[in-house]
């Protein structure tokens, strides 16, 4: 089974809180999404969530917690996937968000 993570990013400095969504490049079908990514071999889900958040945005969360949400589905490659969801909280808006080439 292929393992993935999804990271919802909330910034709680402003009122109301803000959520960061990323828009994929047209080559990736041009849609809005949370940070997502694959879990590497022998990597724990929470480590993958932390790594993907940093790789895709340059953000290090003040707090990362696993949500009680687990999705199972077949992906576009017809693989069976299990995806765990995490909430990343940051206390201040980042001065800079460094997007990966996917976004």
């Amino acid at each position: 089974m292929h393992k993935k993570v999804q990271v919802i990013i909330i910034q709680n400095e402003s009122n109301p809180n803000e959520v960061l969504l990323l828009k994929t490049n047209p080559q990736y079908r041009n849609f809005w999404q949370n940070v997502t990514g694959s879990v590497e071999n022998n990597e724990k889900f929470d480590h993958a969530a932390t790594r993907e958040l940093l790789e895709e945005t340059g953000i290090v969360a003040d707090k990362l917690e696993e949500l009680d949400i687990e999705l199972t589905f077949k992906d576009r490659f017809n693989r069976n996937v299990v995806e765990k969801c995490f909430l990343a909280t940051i206390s201040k808006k980042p001065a800079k968000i460094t997007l990966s080439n996917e976004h």
Side-chain angles (χ1 to χ4, degrees):
M1 177 153 308
H2 186 71
K3 299 176 184 175
K4 293 189 64 120
V5 294
Q6 181 176 158
V7 183
I8 301 157
I9 306 161
I10 293 179
Q11 178 277 127
N12 58 13
E13 176 185 34
S14 62
N15 189 7
N17 297 342
E18 294 180 349
V19 175
L20 177 64
L21 292 175
L22 308 177
K23 188 171 186 182
T24 61
N25 283 327
Q27 69 190 31
Y28 294 103
R29 299 180 291 168
N30 206 28
F31 59 90
W32 292 94
Q33 69 177 121
N34 295 308
V35 167
T36 62
S38 295
V39 177
E40 296 178 355
N41 294 336
N42 300 317
E43 186 178 32
K44 294 181 180 180
F45 280 94
D46 60 333
H47 293 165
T50 299
R51 177 183 50 74
E52 288 291 343
L53 179 61
L54 183 62
E55 286 177 3
E56 292 192 17
T57 66
I59 293 173
V60 175
D62 295 324
K63 182 178 179 185
L64 181 74
E65 59 187 292
E66 185 174 343
L67 301 174
D68 191 21
I69 300 171
E70 185 174 295
L71 308 169
T72 56
F73 56 93
K74 285 198 181 278
D75 67 9
R76 62 186 170 147
F77 305 109
N78 204 33
R79 298 178 295 191
N80 290 320
V81 177
V82 59
E83 183 174 82
K84 292 193 178 190
C85 298
F86 291 81
L87 177 65
T89 306
I90 55 176
S91 58
K92 293 187 176 248
K93 284 185 184 182
K96 181 178 180 184
I97 296 173
T98 307
L99 297 178
S100 69
N101 292 334
E102 297 172 34
H103 303 97

